[in-house]
Amino acid sequence: MSGREGGKKKPLKAPKKQTKDMDDDDVAFKQKQKEEQKAMEAMRAKASGKGPLGGSGIKKSGKK
């Protein structure tokens, strides 16, 4: 029972990932994803400017 065994053990280092060569299909796919992301952000910004969609909210009767 040595003092070095106690405590949390450090994880092993993962090997470095090799950068793979991207062909034309991969480049086109990445470009398409970026364009879709920009379109989604634009739609989200446009939708956030408006209030709730229903607009009526809770209806109250005139009776008291």
Side-chain angles (χ1 to χ4, degrees):
M1 190 166 165
S2 65
R4 293 192 58 145
E5 290 182 15
K8 189 174 183 182
K9 296 193 177 189
K10 292 184 180 179
L12 296 174
K13 289 186 178 180
K16 291 183 180 180
K17 294 182 182 179
Q18 295 177 352
T19 57
K20 61 178 182 177
D21 296 330
M22 293 202 295
D23 56 356
D24 293 337
D25 293 337
D26 290 337
V27 172
F29 181 70
K30 290 270 189 185
Q31 184 68 24
K32 185 178 177 185
Q33 277 188 330
K34 284 183 182 181
E35 289 173 4
E36 287 178 358
Q37 182 70 21
K38 286 180 183 178
M40 286 294 288
E41 287 177 7
M43 288 177 146
R44 193 174 294 133
K46 186 177 179 182
S48 66
K50 297 179 182 177
L53 294 176
S56 61
I58 300 173
K59 293 185 179 180
K60 297 181 181 178
S61 63
K63 300 178 184 176
K64 287 189 177 182

